[in-house]
């Protein structure tokens, strides 16, 4: 929106010809082979994404806060799957999966709060913040699910998934262009790290593994009514605070998150399949929820840093209703209604950040046993 910035009610884009470019390659091979005892399927993919994005962060015609981000991402995935109905009593699905990916992200943030404001930011005009990080991941899993038909309408479902994940090669820095020792002519698309080890953070490899079971009952009460109930466990792997400006936050991984989910309900179709009614009840218990905290930091320029950590347990339950009606061939009516109640059953966060002592200051409480963070300056404790 053109303007000179004099009107507080008019916002605009003031980056001139700065780009927002996304280049993506995504290749997939999907091959299946049928035999007399089941079918095999292989799905393999390769992804390559490059981004060059400038953002007019302030949203004003005057230019006082903008950012630029360059990101490269590559991934290989593979899955082998086997599906079989060995008999009228037994159905099976099983498979293995694999993922390898890596990323490189560099972001510049430009600020200039003094008039006259520049038409557009360049690395020559200001000393931008320079955030640069990278990391790699390997993940694999094996899963299987068996449905055994006790009778024609009643069946038992047993399943499980074993997951393994490793994150490694993580490095990061969060400083300014000059503090990193770079000239304004640097090509930030190259994701260059500073030669100063004091401002480049790294973390040893971390691995997580988990087994998630599933048990369920299915009952086909008729051609139009299907009832089900199941319990299953799921998990979300831990990770790294890769973008943090605080060394201790960067070097402290957060743990996995788990949930036990109980669900039951029915799916039905009536009036010659013109009316669909689906009802689902759910009850979930979350353990070690991953949440973002803002904590003090002795090394971050702002004095604080955002840290993902495991702080809470949560209970959630509710009901969902899905309705669909086709009163005439060319008309369909839909309605989806849900009710959900969720609340924390436990929440304890370390808002003081990592410290050099296991003894908290007077009057402070602690959440539980401490986590040791090894660093070059000695151990730190959460």
């Amino acid at each position: 929106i053109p303007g000179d910035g004099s009107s507080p009610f008019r916002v605009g884009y003031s980056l001139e010809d700065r780009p927002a470019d996304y280049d993506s390659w995504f290749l997939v091979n999907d091959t299946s082979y049928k035999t007399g005892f089941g079918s095999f399927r292989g799905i393999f993919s390769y992804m390559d994404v490059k981004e060059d994005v400038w953002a007019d962060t302030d949203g004003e015609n005057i230019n006082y806060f903008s950012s630029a981000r360059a990101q490269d991402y590559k991934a290989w995935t593979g899955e082998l799957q086997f599906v079989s109905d060995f008999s009228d009593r037994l159905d099976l699905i099983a498979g293995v999966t694999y993922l390898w990916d890596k990323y490189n992200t560099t972001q510049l943030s430009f600020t200039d709060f003094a008039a006259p404001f520049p038409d557009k930011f360049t690395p020559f005009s200001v000393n931008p913040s320079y955030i640069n990080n990278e990391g790699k991941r390997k993940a694999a899993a094996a899963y299987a699910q068996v449905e055994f038909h006790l009778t024609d309408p009643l069946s038992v479902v047993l399943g499980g998934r074993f997951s393994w994940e490793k994150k490694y090669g993580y490095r990061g820095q969060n400083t300014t262009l000059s503090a990193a020792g770079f000239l304004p002519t640097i090509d930030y698309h190259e994701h260059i790290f500073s030669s100063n080890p004091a401002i480049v953070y790294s973390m040893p490899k971390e691995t997580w593994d988990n087994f998630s079971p599933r048990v369920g009952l299915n009952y086909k009460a008729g051609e139009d009514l299907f009832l089900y109930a199941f319990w299953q466990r799921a998990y979300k792997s831990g990770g790294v605070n890769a973008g943090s400006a605080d060394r201790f936050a960067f070097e402290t991984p957060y743990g996995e998150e788990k949930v036990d989910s109980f669900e039951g309900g029915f799916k039905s179709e009536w009036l010659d399949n013109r009316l669909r009614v689906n009802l689902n009840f759910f009850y979930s218990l979350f353990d070690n929820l991953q949440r973002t905290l803002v904590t003090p930091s002795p090394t971050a320029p702002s004095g604080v840093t955002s840290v993902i950590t495991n702080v809470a347990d949560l209970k959630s339950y509710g009901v969902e209703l899905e309705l669909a009606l086709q009163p005439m061939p060319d008309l369909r009516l839909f309605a989806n209604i849900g009710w959900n109640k969720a609340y924390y059953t436990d929440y304890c966060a370390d808002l003081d950040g990592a410290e050099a002592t296991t003894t908290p200051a007077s009057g402070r409480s602690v959440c539980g046993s401490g986590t040791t963070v090894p660093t070059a300056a000695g151990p730190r404790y959460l």
Side-chain angles (χ1 to χ4, degrees):
I1 303 176
D4 59 4
S6 60
S7 171
F9 303 104
R10 172 174 286 181
V11 298
Y13 183 81
S14 51
L15 290 180
E16 294 187 355
D17 59 346
R18 291 299 184 181
D21 293 335
Y22 302 86
D23 297 316
S24 302
W25 285 93
F26 189 45
L27 308 175
V28 179
N29 175 270
D30 189 343
T31 304
S32 57
Y33 181 74
K34 293 184 178 181
T35 69
F37 55 88
S39 61
F40 294 87
R41 186 181 182 188
I43 307 172
F44 306 93
S45 72
Y46 170 72
M47 177 187 293
D48 189 332
V49 180
K50 293 184 181 297
E51 301 178 6
D52 183 12
V53 181
W54 280 76
D56 183 3
T57 312
D58 54 64
E60 297 285 347
N61 286 284
I62 57 176
N63 202 0
Y64 59 85
F65 182 22
S66 300
S67 61
R69 187 186 80 249
Q71 178 167 284
D72 297 336
Y73 176 79
K74 290 182 173 61
W76 292 92
T77 69
E79 180 172 2
L80 293 175
Q81 189 182 94
F82 175 70
V83 178
S84 177
D85 49 352
F86 286 101
S87 66
D88 294 337
R89 296 296 184 188
L90 184 64
D91 300 326
L92 169 68
I93 179 172
V96 293
T97 67
Y98 178 78
L99 162 70
W100 176 89
D101 64 355
K102 71 172 184 177
Y103 78 95
N104 303 86
T105 300
T106 302
Q107 179 168 308
L108 307 178
S109 294
F110 304 88
T111 55
D112 187 344
F113 300 105
F117 303 101
D119 294 333
K120 64 179 179 180
F121 285 113
T122 70
F124 297 95
S125 62
V126 294
N127 181 29
S129 68
Y130 186 82
I131 302 173
N132 190 32
N133 56 76
E134 64 182 10
K136 300 177 182 179
R137 172 177 55 173
K138 292 181 180 179
Y143 62 89
Q145 178 171 290
V146 176
E147 182 172 4
F148 183 73
H149 300 268
L150 301 174
T151 63
D152 287 340
L154 179 64
S155 62
V156 177
V157 178
L158 299 174
R161 175 188 175 96
F162 178 79
S163 303
W164 172 89
E165 184 169 323
K166 178 173 74 171
K167 294 182 178 179
Y168 64 104
Y170 273 79
R171 291 196 299 165
Q173 64 184 75
N174 190 326
T175 182
T176 63
L177 198 66
S178 61
F182 297 140
L183 296 174
T185 54
I186 184 176
D187 184 358
Y188 66 95
H189 302 87
E190 298 296 326
H191 312 292
I192 302 173
F193 281 90
S194 172
S195 59
N196 182 0
I199 61 175
V200 178
Y201 308 153
S202 62
M203 196 198 76
K205 65 181 180 181
E206 290 288 336
T207 60
W208 296 268
D209 60 75
N210 174 269
F211 177 72
S212 299
R214 175 186 175 100
V215 179
L217 286 174
N218 295 334
Y219 186 77
K220 191 174 183 180
E223 290 299 322
D224 300 322
L225 180 61
F226 175 79
L227 296 91
Y228 65 93
F230 66 85
W231 160 75
Q232 70 178 21
R233 177 172 294 161
Y235 104 114
K236 182 181 180 182
S237 65
V240 182
N241 290 288
S244 177
D246 185 278
R247 175 182 292 275
F248 308 117
F250 187 98
E251 295 173 344
T252 307
Y254 53 91
E256 62 185 27
E257 175 182 309
K258 298 180 181 179
V259 58
D260 285 292
S261 179
F262 304 83
E263 295 191 30
F266 66 83
K267 297 180 181 294
S268 65
E269 293 191 348
W270 311 94
L271 305 178
D272 295 327
N273 299 329
R274 289 186 290 111
L275 173 63
R276 176 181 299 163
V277 181
N278 296 335
L279 184 66
N280 177 58
F281 298 91
F282 62 90
Y283 179 86
S284 302
L285 298 173
F286 292 83
D287 182 47
N288 284 328
L289 275 177
Q290 300 167 359
R291 289 293 184 263
T292 300
L293 306 176
V294 178
T295 65
S297 168
T299 58
S302 63
V304 296
T305 186
S306 297
V307 181
I308 300 175
T309 187
N310 304 89
V311 297
D313 298 333
L314 178 78
K315 182 182 292 185
S316 173
Y317 56 87
V319 60
E320 298 171 333
L321 175 65
E322 177 189 357
L323 301 172
L325 176 64
Q326 187 172 9
M328 57 185 66
D330 297 327
L331 177 64
R332 290 187 179 183
L333 305 176
F334 299 91
N336 293 281
I337 306 169
W339 177 84
N340 175 220
K341 182 174 183 177
Y343 57 90
Y344 291 115
T345 57
D346 180 68
Y347 196 109
C348 191
D350 180 10
L351 299 180
D352 297 275
E355 300 177 82
T357 176
T358 57
T359 305
S362 177
R364 268 187 49 215
S365 60
V366 294
C367 296
S369 58
T371 299
T372 303
V373 184
T375 70
R380 306 281 287 191
Y381 305 94
L382 289 173

